């Protein structure tokens, strides 16, 4: 590797976080802008739904509207303790079996 | 001059490729893991709060035996004259268990005067809004897909009420709204009442909108005085629930990641604990040929900076790609749970430049600085002594 080339490569590596941060920030901005097209739809939909809770763990916890039915949801399991409901862990149960 | 030292640092790293790749790889993995958890948590919080503003300022439920139960719609009349209350709407909604799904479907009744849903306002992917009294329904895209239904199909939902009618699917929600509608089935209020076996005159809860949201606390106190035993839920308090719920999950996942974080600390300790004999010899030779202590320190600092910067960049890129380009495989169930009806909508990044820079500096700063102390020790030693030993 020539000295000039080593210098260019080294500079590129040192500046790589700046390039990556700029690129990711741009991508995130573009995705947020695309999502903002959905804002009126979300607004119209939210007025017809009972809560703005996300449809994430209803099947597992049997609590779709957690914020209304279990306002202490954030603390129910105890800080840093494993979740007794199967709603959060690294391995999911075989959900395809449930539907048979 | 400094760029020449930088080029020298790169060539020095190239001479110790295996060590540089081991350090950089471990660091990149740890950065990717932490960044991915932060990206996913922030994205979920933003999604949960996106629809928050459209919701009623106060929701009133009735408690029996400490558990929520149905409330008399007539109780609404007791609240309408409270100052600042603009409207009180009894709502009908609840759950129906579908054996074929082995999960709950959320039935939402549409009251008269509800804002319309259409393909035009971007809510529906296909079909139209409900016609009152026509026994129709709109389902989430995921639910319709699971049940194999298309607009025009009819579905009889399991209920103990023999008067409940089968509902005709007239529309499905757009899949980009899956996070809110994956398990939702919207129908006429009377159909919802029949399915949920809710007696006439009862409601699931009361939704209250205020002319001045800042007065929610005062209005809530008045409601508890007028409806003893009622549970009053203010909208602003719900925002805290979302915030804490996802924060707790992020903490749990990061806690489980402690071995990876420890690996990072071991790498840092390796940097701090001193230089190898080859590196000491190299520094001695540099000093012998006329490099100053400052030049040696810069060279070692640049070596750490090169490894740290490229590993941080790679880690951030991997973390971002993992969550937003690949859909967070492996991490998504850990942070958001799972269900038979699982929303498949892509997540939207909520991360900003400040957070990205924060993660970068938190990793690179200590990593680079840790290399200075052992380098300074070696650079201030007598070159002849070092070469002899």
């Amino acid at each position: 590797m020539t000295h000039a080339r080593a210098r260019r490569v080294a500079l590129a590596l040192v500046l790589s976080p700046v390039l990556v941060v700029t690129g990711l920030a741009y991508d995130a901005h573009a995705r947020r802008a695309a999502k903002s097209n959905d804002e009126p739809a979300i607004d119209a939909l939210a007025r017809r739904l009972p809560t703005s809770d996300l449809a994430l763990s209803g099947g597992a916890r049997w609590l779709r509207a957690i914020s209304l039915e279990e306002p202490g949801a954030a603390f129910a399991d105890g800080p840093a303790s494993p979740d007794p409901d199967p709603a959060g862990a690294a391995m999911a149960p075989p959900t395809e079996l449930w539907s048979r | 001059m400094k760029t020449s030292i930088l080029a020298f640092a790169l060539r020095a790293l190239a001479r110790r490729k295996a060590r540089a790749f081991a350090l950089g790889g471990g660091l990149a993995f740890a950065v990717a893991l932490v960044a991915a958890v932060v990206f996913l948590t922030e994205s979920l919080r933003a999604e949960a709060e996106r629809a928050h503003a459209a919701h009623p300022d106060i929701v009133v439920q009735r408690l029996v035996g400490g558990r929520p139960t149905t409330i008399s719609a007539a109780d609404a009349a007791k609240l309408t004259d409270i100052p600042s209350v603009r409207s009180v709407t009894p709502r009908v909604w609840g759950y129906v268990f579908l054996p074929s799904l082995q999960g709950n479907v959320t039935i939402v009744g549409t009251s008269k005067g509800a804002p319309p849903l259409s393909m035009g306002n971007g809510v529906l992917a296909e079909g139209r809004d409900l016609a009152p009294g026509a026994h129709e329904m709109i389902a989430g895209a995921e639910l319709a897909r699971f049940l194999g239904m298309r607009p025009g199909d009819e579905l009889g939902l399991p209920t103990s009420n023999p008067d409940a009618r089968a509902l005709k699917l007239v529309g499905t929600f757009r899949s980009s709204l899956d996070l809110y509608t994956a398990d939702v089935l919207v129908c006429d209020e009377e159909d919802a009442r029949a399915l949920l076996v809710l007696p006439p005159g009862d409601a699931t809860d009361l939704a209250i909108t205020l002319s001045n949201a800042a007065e929610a606390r005062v209005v809530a106190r008045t409601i508890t005085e007028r409806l003893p035993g009622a549970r009053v839920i203010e909208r602003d308090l719900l925002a805290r629930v979302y915030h804490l719920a996802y924060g707790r999950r992020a903490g749990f996942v990061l806690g489980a990641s402690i071995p990876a974080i420890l690996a990072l600390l071991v790498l840092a300790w390796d940097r701090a604990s001193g230089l190898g004999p080859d590196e000491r010899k190299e520094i001695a030779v540099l000093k012998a040929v006329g490099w100053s202590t400052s030049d040696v320190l810069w060279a070692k600092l640049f070596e750490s900076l090169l490894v740290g910067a490229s590993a941080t960049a790679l880690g951030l890129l991997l973390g971002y790609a993992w969550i937003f380009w690949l859909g967070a495989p492996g991490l998504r169930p850990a942070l958001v749970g799972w269900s038979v009806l699982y929303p498949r909508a892509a997540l939207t990044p909520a991360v900003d430049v400040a957070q990205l820079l924060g993660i970068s500096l938190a990793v690179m700063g200590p990593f680079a600085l840790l290399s200075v102390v052992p380098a300074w020790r070696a650079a201030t030693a007598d070159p002849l002594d070092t070469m002899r030993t």
Side-chain angles (χ1 to χ4, degrees), chain B residues 217-285:
Chain B
R217 185 61 52 88
V218 179
V219 174
R221 201 177 305 130
T222 311
I223 292 170
T224 50
E225 286 166 8
R226 294 195 182 185
L227 298 177
R231 179 168 169 226
V232 184
I233 304 165
E234 296 166 51
R235 183 177 63 187
D236 287 348
L237 294 182
L238 298 186
R240 203 179 63 169
V241 172
Y242 298 133
H243 205 74
L244 292 170
Y246 294 117
R248 182 183 64 83
R249 288 204 180 284
F252 183 57
V253 173
L254 282 178
S257 312
I258 281 175
I261 310 292
L262 276 178
L264 173 66
L265 293 177
V266 168
L267 290 172
W269 174 80
D270 176 66
R271 288 267 80 188
S273 63
L275 304 170
D278 289 346
E279 280 182 278
R280 284 176 184 282
K281 195 174 169 189
E282 183 183 284
I283 289 172
V285 169

Side-chain angles (χ1 to χ4, degrees), chain B residues 12 54-55 103 113 126 150 167 177 231 243 259 281 284 313 356 360 378 381:
Chain B
H55 275 279
E126 54 183 346
R150 301 187 62 86
L167 301 178
L177 303 174
R231 179 168 169 226
H243 205 74
K281 195 174 169 189
L356 291 167
S360 305

Side-chain angles (χ1 to χ4, degrees), chain A residues 1-7 9-11 13-18 20-22 24-25 27-29 31-32 35-83 86-93 95 97-100, chain B residues 3-4 6-7 10-11 44 47-48 50-52 54-55 59 61 91 93 95 97 100 102 104 106 108 110 114-117 121-123 129-130 146 173-174 176-184 186 205 231 233 238 241-242 244-246 248-249 252 306 309-310 313 316-317 320 324-325 330 333-334 336-340 342-343 348-351 353 356-357 360 364:
Chain A
M1 194 188 295
T2 63
H3 184 72
R5 186 157 174 243
R7 195 185 297 191
V9 173
L11 272 175
L13 285 177
V14 169
L15 293 176
S16 60
V18 179
V20 167
V21 165
T22 309
L24 295 186
D27 185 80
H29 177 74
R31 282 164 184 262
R32 278 197 294 271
K35 184 74 176 181
S36 69
N37 296 335
D38 282 343
E39 295 287 345
I42 293 171
D43 198 53
L45 172 71
R47 290 174 198 284
R48 294 273 290 259
L49 297 181
T51 72
S52 56
D53 290 349
L54 303 180
L56 291 174
S57 52
R61 296 185 73 115
W62 289 46
L63 285 175
R64 166 67 168 82
I66 288 177
S67 64
L68 291 183
E69 289 156 310
E70 194 187 352
F75 313 103
D77 311 328
S81 64
D83 194 341
M91 197 180 291
T95 50
L97 295 179
W98 296 355
S99 57
R100 283 185 195 163
Chain B
T3 52
S4 296
L6 189 62
L10 180 66
R11 284 198 294 257
L44 284 168
E47 290 290 353
R50 207 180 298 278
H52 186 62
H55 275 279
V59 172
Q61 296 175 332
R91 303 192 300 183
W93 64 276
Y95 308 120
F97 181 75
S100 62
Q102 284 293 294
N104 281 328
T106 308
V108 181
T110 300
L117 305 177
N121 63 13
V123 178
D129 203 354
L130 308 167
F146 193 94
F173 292 111
R174 261 179 50 202
S176 63
L177 303 174
D178 247 10
L179 275 168
Y180 309 97
T181 62
D183 62 347
V184 166
V186 175
D205 55 27
R231 179 168 169 226
I233 304 165
L238 298 186
V241 172
Y242 298 133
L244 292 170
Y246 294 117
R248 182 183 64 83
R249 288 204 180 284
F252 183 57
L306 281 167
S310 45
L316 284 177
L317 198 60
Y320 191 89
F324 300 114
W325 297 344
V336 301
W338 54 79
S339 173
V340 180
Y342 198 78
T348 308
V351 70
V353 176
L356 291 167
L357 285 176
S360 305
M364 275 194 307

